Amino acid sequence: MTTPLTHRLAVYTGTFDPVHLGHLDIIGRGSSIFDRLIVGVGINPDKQPFFDQSERVELVRAVIAPYANVSVLPFTSLAVTFVREVGARVMLRGLRTTSDMENEFTMSLMNLNLDPEIETVFLMAKEAYSHVSSTLLRQIATFGGNLEKFLPPTVQRALEDRVRQRG
Ligand code: ADP
């Protein structure tokens, strides 16, 4: 691998279907810890997403605009492969609950096995967002609930439009 690795660049990976204020909180806090943060928007082969990958990337792009050191890229490979490809050594993840912890613990151990040079760094979710997940927000949107407290306005509009299109 020819790309030099740097400790100051981190990659925040996820599906972001769609990006919400809990994610944005991790992005904001990550951007103040690292010199540069890349949001990596992946695909989940087990799920049919509400937004396709390029739409999810564009929604992330819209909400990271205030952060000069944050950018967004799509990826289709394993997360550790993507992290190495962009020259990073740190994968950033958010933790909401103890059930997240179990999954994330397993995933970070597997990732360490796949690439021992890449470390996962966790930030605890802010209390106000610790119950927020994209899955719940998609369900709330489907039943016409109020999403204002959990989504940036651009994303809220996009999600409401998508629900209308799907009928
Ligand atoms: P997944 O990768 O399971 O599809 P997401 O794409 O929604 O989940 O989340 C990407 C990352 O953001 C994961 O590390 C997840 O734990 C974290 N995350 C999700 N929701 C929140 C939240 N409300 N607050 C903090 N972190 C979160």
Side-chain angles (χ1 to χ4, degrees):
M1 199 64 56
T2 52
T3 323
L5 294 173
T6 154
H7 287 277
R8 305 275 172 126
L9 168 65
V11 181
Y12 180 34
T13 55
T15 315
F16 306 105
D17 186 33
V19 62
H20 55 63
L21 292 181
H23 295 134
L24 203 52
D25 174 57
I26 300 292
I27 291 171
R29 289 157 63 197
S31 82
S32 65
I33 297 172
F34 299 100
D35 294 334
R36 236 158 47 77
L37 180 67
I38 296 173
V39 182
V41 178
I43 46 170
N44 185 340
D46 298 332
K47 286 190 205 161
Q48 186 59 35
F50 246 51
F51 293 98
D52 68 29
Q53 193 180 27
S54 59
E55 291 170 323
R56 285 180 275 128
V57 167
E58 286 319 310
L59 289 174
V60 171
R61 202 189 305 286
V63 301
I64 60 173
Y67 302 99
N69 63 342
V70 182
S71 54
V72 60
L73 285 173
F75 71 97
T76 48
S77 57
L78 277 175
V80 281
T81 309
F82 172 65
V83 171
R84 186 172 272 278
E85 268 168 13
V86 297
R89 260 205 182 161
V90 177
M91 186 164 356
L92 179 65
R93 300 281 292 173
L95 283 179
R96 285 162 293 197
T97 56
T98 44
S99 58
D100 258 4
M101 223 169 279
E102 219 172 288
N103 294 334
E104 294 285 339
F105 183 61
T106 313
M107 197 151 46
S108 70
L109 283 181
M110 178 52 86
N111 284 336
L112 257 186
N113 267 278
L114 292 169
D115 191 334
E117 284 192 329
I118 292 171
E119 292 288 353
T120 307
V121 169
F122 296 102
L123 288 180
M124 294 302 297
K126 198 173 173 175
E127 213 176 355
Y129 303 129
S130 61
H131 57 297
V132 177
S133 69
S134 297
T135 307
L136 266 181
L137 297 183
R138 292 194 304 269
Q139 284 171 3
I140 295 168
T142 304
F143 293 105
N146 189 349
L147 297 161
E148 207 176 282
K149 280 199 284 189
F150 314 117
L151 289 174
T154 340
V155 183
Q156 185 182 344
R157 274 192 301 275
L159 183 52
E160 286 168 354
D161 286 351
R162 181 52 44 95
V163 167
R164 271 192 290 275
Q165 282 164 13
R166 287 161 67 105

